[in-house]
């Protein structure tokens, strides 16, 4: 296997280098064929690399820049003032062929906008989309898109999301003819926004796509569909609601008494009694699913949660490496020709 | 306290009388001042009342009808063909003053449409909304609306939902100056649909309302806002997603090994170790929160989940009785004058 280089915007996210640099080192340790270009403030980055082994350091290059796109900036303002920012420079490195993919935990709107301008949508794609995997209760995964890149959508956009999601699921989840569901507020054909019903009509006519109908929010975790398609607004609401519910419930079960003379007995009993439940609770931990991908672009771009911890950001880097190695953009382009 | 009569559409829901009748009897047993008018098929209802005590039977009247509004009917078709259906007759009983409120687990769109026609929105209310309580992790509750009555909304609708939700929270949750949040995909003012940002502007100008800003899906359970306002589509997606996540997680922990020689030890340990977690998990069980109310109408109308079990449907009846006794519609009308 050949070497792979990713460009990282290490200034993005709620915390910045103190998360993204340890995460980068973790990703490099786990993947010896990976190299990283770190775009950000050298003064903040360098001290975080000082305990690092030479084998890892050899695969890191810092590209110093001090400008950062703020999370609170509107998209158009952010784009106009993006020159020299860590996010833009990272994307430009991909554009210039210096890296095969980009990871950022920064402003989603700006990342989307800049990616579209610098890396361009794939031929035939009107709107790239934000896609991620969500866990299912049966230990499987589903693919869900759009998760917030496109607030306003029409039926044609949803139809393209379904195509891209289907191809993504084929390769990411190793599925044949993935089942596609449209997120809606009922399963009857009269339910929901007109553009969703129109998208359903388009999908029903396609024999190449395995469209199975509407899916409601309460069945998102149940693996009823391999690909869940929605507009970016509803998709984002649903995903964040899922994440919040999962994190809250997991937190309840982390509230074990810290000191208790029966703790060893407790731990043993709980492990045995609830092993299955626990494994599956762990399986729905949002940290395991960090990294939404912008698909429909000519290169791999992965957006990490702004609040990602070290493991979660490392997961996003690993995901970008996986997609770049498998040449996902080329796979989607080839798939588009089939539909 | 005076007696109270509710009109029940006992044919609605996925299962019909086999759920709604036992639930009615449960509600009557728990509330000795409650009487019920049961609208539905006498042949299906009567056998389910045969083991019932006289004290309860005295407070039940069956109003025989055989026509039912189907869950899969479009709203306009359902309304045109609603004459003589259990849902319509129950609402007519409220209109005619024979009952002080109505409960149905039937077609939400039809219930909304018929309620608007027969019971009329309160003076000044453009769109009644579907409101429900959701649990918070701190053992509290929040109020959320609209949950699906209005798929398309504008800023003015959201503003009115905020007013109604605030009054509802004051009386239902005993709160002073409830905090109001708008459901959105980010907390920055540039996020989301234009109509949501316009609603935020309206709410910010109002000093009578305690508007605190946008709230994202991941914080719905965290009690950041007492009233969560959204359009009906997003609200329905978010609520169902929450319910699905909660039910799925609860199901994991009901999968205890049925036979195990250490079961007594397990049970004791788990009770002690996770008592707090369990109590709070139970607190987020969706069955405890069945019954969304249509507010903004001249009378109390409660919509139960179609999939409600006996306890959940009984909960919806109890909720309608509570609102009717406290004269919620009059309270909302009085509150509207304040804003």
């Amino acid at each position: 296997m050949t070497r792979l280089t990713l460009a990282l915007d290490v200034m993005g996210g709620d915390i910045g280098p103190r998360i993204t640099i340890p995460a980068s080192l973790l990703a490099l340790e786990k993947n010896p064929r990976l190299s990283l270009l770190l775009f950000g403030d050298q003064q903040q980055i360098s001290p975080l690399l000082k305990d690092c082994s030479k084998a890892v350091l050899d695969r890191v290059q810092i590209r110093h820049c001090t400008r950062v796109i703020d999370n609170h900036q509107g998209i158009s303002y952010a784009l106009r003032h993006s020159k020299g920012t860590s996010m833009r420079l990272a994307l430009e490195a991909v554009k210039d062929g210096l890296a095969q993919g980009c990871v950022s935990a920064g402003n989603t709107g700006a990342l989307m906008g800049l990616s579209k301008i610098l890396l361009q949508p794939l031929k035939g794609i009107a709107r790239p989309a934000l896609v991620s995997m969500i866990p299912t209760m049966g230990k499987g995964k589903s693919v869900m898109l759009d998760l917030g890149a496109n607030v306003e959508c029409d039926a044609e956009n949803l139809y393209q999301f379904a195509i891209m999601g289907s191809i993504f699921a084929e390769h990411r989840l190793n599925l044949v003819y993935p089942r596609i569901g449209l997120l809606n507020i009922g399963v009857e054909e009269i339910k929901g926004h007109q553009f969703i019903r129109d998208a359903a009509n388009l999908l029903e006519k396609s024999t190449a796509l395995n469209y199975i109908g509407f899916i409601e929010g309460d069945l998102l975790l149940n693996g009823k569909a391999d690909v869940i398609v929605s507009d970016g607004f509803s998709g984002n609401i649903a995903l964040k609601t899922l994440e919040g519910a999962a994190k809250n419930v997991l937190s309840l079960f982390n509230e074990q008494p810290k000191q208790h003379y029966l703790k060893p007995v407790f731990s043993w009993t709980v492990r045995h009694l609830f092993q299955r439940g626990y494994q599956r609770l762990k399986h729905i931990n949002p940290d395991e699913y960090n990294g939404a991908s912008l698909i429909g672009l000519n290169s791999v771009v992965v957006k990490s949660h702004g609040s990602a911890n070290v493991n979660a950001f490392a997961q996003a880097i690993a995901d970008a490496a996986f997609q770049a190695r498998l040449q996902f953009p080329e796979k989607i382009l080839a798939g588009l020709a089939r539909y």
Side-chain angles (χ1 to χ4, degrees), chain A:
Chain A
M1 240 185 273
T2 52
R3 294 183 69 81
L4 181 79
T5 303
L6 296 178
L8 263 56
D9 163 19
V10 301
M11 305 306 285
D14 301 345
I15 300 180
R18 279 187 295 135
I19 291 291
T20 57
I21 300 302
S24 300
L25 300 178
L26 187 61
L28 288 165
E29 274 164 25
K30 284 192 182 168
N31 184 348
R33 287 190 186 82
L34 180 64
S35 297
L36 296 177
L37 302 179
L38 308 179
F39 290 84
D41 181 2
Q42 184 147 22
Q43 279 204 303
Q44 291 183 59
I45 298 169
S46 295
L48 295 162
L49 295 175
K50 71 177 184 326
D51 294 331
C52 196
S53 73
K54 191 176 173 302
V56 164
L57 264 189
D58 281 350
R59 291 181 281 132
V60 173
Q61 287 179 48
I62 302 174
R63 300 290 172 100
H64 177 66
C65 58
T66 51
R67 299 201 62 230
V68 178
I69 293 180
D70 192 271
N71 241 337
H72 299 266
Q73 287 171 354
I75 298 177
S76 54
Y77 179 91
L79 297 190
R80 279 199 311 277
H81 298 82
S82 61
K83 215 171 160 184
T85 59
S86 55
M87 185 190 287
R88 178 162 185 152
L89 291 173
L91 288 167
E92 284 174 347
V94 178
K95 184 191 174 196
D96 298 339
L98 302 174
Q100 285 79 61
C102 172
V103 182
S104 172
N107 184 320
T108 310
L111 185 66
M112 181 76 191
L114 283 173
S115 299
K116 270 159 82 171
I117 295 167
L118 296 170
L119 307 179
Q120 298 280 314
L122 288 167
K123 196 168 180 298
I125 290 295
R127 305 262 203 105
L130 208 49
V131 62
S132 184
M133 284 181 296
I134 61 169
T136 67
M137 299 309 285
K139 295 192 185 175
K141 289 172 187 170
S142 297
V143 159
M144 188 163 168
L145 76 167
D146 175 34
L147 298 173
N150 306 283
V151 170
E152 310 281 351
C153 292
D154 62 21
E156 185 63 37
N157 297 146
L158 293 188
Y159 180 71
Q160 286 204 339
F161 297 165
I163 295 174
M164 291 196 290
S166 184
I167 300 167
F168 191 86
E170 276 176 33
H171 297 287
R172 195 71 182 79
L173 303 177
N174 261 321
L175 295 173
V176 177
Y177 208 45
R179 298 159 303 157
I180 300 166
L182 274 174
L183 184 64
N184 202 344
I185 61 171
V187 293
E188 303 85 5
E189 62 185 26
I190 47 125
K191 288 287 173 80
H193 293 295
Q194 186 61 47
F195 71 90
I196 299 175
R197 287 180 269 159
D198 292 344
N201 286 335
L202 289 174
L203 287 165
E204 270 161 7
K205 282 180 199 147
S206 162
T207 50
L209 293 170
N210 187 7
Y211 174 65
I212 59 163
F214 295 140
I215 180 166
E216 293 186 75
D218 55 345
L219 294 181
L220 289 179
L221 290 177
N222 294 61
K224 298 275 173 193
D226 302 307
V227 182
I228 297 149
V229 175
S230 81
D231 64 278
F233 188 86
S234 310
N236 188 286
I237 295 281
L239 182 75
K240 285 197 180 136
T241 302
L242 267 187
E243 287 176 350
K247 283 212 164 186
N248 273 315
V249 171
L250 284 167
S251 76
L252 287 184
F253 288 90
N254 288 332
E255 283 179 8
Q256 297 177 34
K258 287 214 173 69
Q259 291 302 330
H260 195 295
Y261 69 102
L262 279 178
K263 205 183 167 198
V265 182
F266 280 166
S267 302
W268 182 86
T269 311
V270 167
R271 260 205 314 281
H272 279 72
L273 183 55
F274 283 126
Q275 200 160 31
R276 214 171 135 212
Y278 262 88
Q279 284 305 317
R280 282 159 75 183
L281 252 192
K282 206 183 142 212
H283 173 70
I284 63 167
N285 184 348
D287 286 347
E288 306 282 319
Y289 295 85
N290 185 41
S293 309
L294 275 173
I295 54 167
L297 295 165
N298 282 302
S299 300
V300 171
V301 178
V302 169
K303 164 72 176 79
S304 159
H305 252 297
S307 62
N309 60 22
V310 171
N311 281 324
F313 195 81
Q315 182 60 42
I317 299 172
D319 193 29
F322 176 85
Q323 290 182 45
R325 196 174 302 289
L326 263 71
Q327 302 188 305
F328 263 43
E330 291 78 357
K331 288 208 156 50
I332 288 171
L333 193 61
L336 282 172
R338 278 189 278 146
Y339 299 105

